[in-house]
Amino acid sequence: SATSPPSITPASTGIDTFAKSFIVSSVPELQVSPVAFGPVCAAATQTLDVCNTGKADLVVDGIASSNAAFSVVPPSAGFPVTISPDFCFPFQARYDGTGAAGTISGQLTIVSNDPVNPQETVAISATKGAPSLNATLANAGNFGEVCRGAQADLNLQLVNQGTCSASVTSILSSNAHFELSAVTTFPLGIAPGGTVNVPIRFKAAANEACGSPISGTVTVNASGLAPLVVPVAASVPCPQLVIDPNALS
């Protein structure tokens, strides 16, 4: 029967050790790090470096995502992709910008000829930002007393306290007495941390009824946000005739 070379002691163990050493030193080894987007407000791409730290060519057959919001752009030459030892291939991971504000996560599965991890998984996540709009009128929206035929302005202050730009699509009044006092082009963009002042005007007609308060609301509409409703009020005083008896003749 066949025996191991006599120079190797013990005979059976020496061949096994040599074979294991040869096999381990001649295989590919995949190495990859998690991918994190954020904070982001729209679709974005980021490099996913897939590296070969082994001693033989690494062949990547495909990369799949557990979450449809994430994907890996196929390389121009398609799959499979061969990565030489001690090299990395810069795949492009993509987040499509969908999902509610907060953390969105998933896993990428990399299929390769790595004998130890033929289906390596790596975490991928995105921190989705959002606008946060605040609307306030000076003097709590009270224009005070405005005489017949006159007008008064108050600034409607819009502040974006979020991490993404806000897009104001319209500002509407429930009462024709209250209106935008200047031409405003919509959509009106407000950057994160930005402030925009929009003048609101109250107009009293020359024959306006006096004595009763006039009220309404101004509604600010912005993309993806709940409407902001701000109350407004004003009053038209009645004229008072005062006769000085000393002036009578």
Side-chain angles (χ1 to χ4, degrees):
S1 61
T3 59
S4 301
S7 59
I8 299 178
T9 303
S12 59
T13 306
I15 289 295
D16 291 344
T17 302
F18 174 80
K20 289 178 181 178
S21 176
F22 177 79
I23 292 171
V24 170
S25 64
S26 303
V27 298
E29 183 177 353
L30 188 150
Q31 187 176 65
V32 65
S33 296
V35 178
F37 295 86
V40 291
C41 300
T45 58
Q46 188 168 314
T47 299
L48 169 70
D49 282 322
V50 176
C51 300
N52 180 8
T53 57
K55 301 299 182 181
D57 285 349
L58 176 70
V59 179
V60 177
D61 294 312
I63 304 176
S65 173
S66 65
N67 187 327
F70 302 105
S71 61
V72 173
V73 180
S76 57
F79 288 101
V81 173
T82 300
I83 306 172
S84 301
D86 296 325
F87 280 88
C88 300
F89 188 90
F91 290 97
Q92 293 301 302
R94 185 175 186 274
Y95 166 58
D96 66 7
T98 61
T103 301
I104 303 166
S105 59
Q107 279 192 333
L108 299 177
T109 300
I110 305 171
V111 180
S112 74
N113 66 335
D114 183 327
V116 178
N117 296 303
Q119 293 191 16
E120 178 74 18
T121 59
V122 61
I124 187 167
S125 63
T127 301
K128 176 73 178 296
S132 178
L133 198 62
N134 185 43
T136 56
L137 261 171
N139 200 34
N142 192 334
F143 289 76
E145 291 187 339
V146 181
C147 293
R148 289 171 173 170
Q151 60 189 33
D153 290 352
L154 288 178
N155 273 332
L156 173 66
Q157 187 178 76
L158 304 176
V159 181
N160 182 5
Q161 299 172 320
T163 56
C164 295
S165 293
S167 179
V168 178
T169 55
S170 65
I171 299 176
L172 305 175
S173 172
S174 67
N175 188 322
H177 286 87
F178 305 93
E179 62 183 16
L180 297 179
S181 66
V183 176
T184 303
T185 302
F186 296 101
L188 177 63
I190 307 176
T195 299
V196 172
N197 289 316
V198 180
I200 303 297
R201 174 168 293 166
F202 171 77
K203 294 177 68 175
N207 61 345
E208 194 73 55
C210 65
S212 298
I214 301 171
S215 62
T217 58
V218 171
T219 301
V220 180
N221 297 300
S223 297
L225 300 176
L228 300 175
V229 180
V230 182
V232 288
S235 61
V236 177
C238 293
Q240 293 182 348
L241 182 63
V242 178
I243 299 176
D244 182 359
N246 297 323
L248 296 176
S249 57

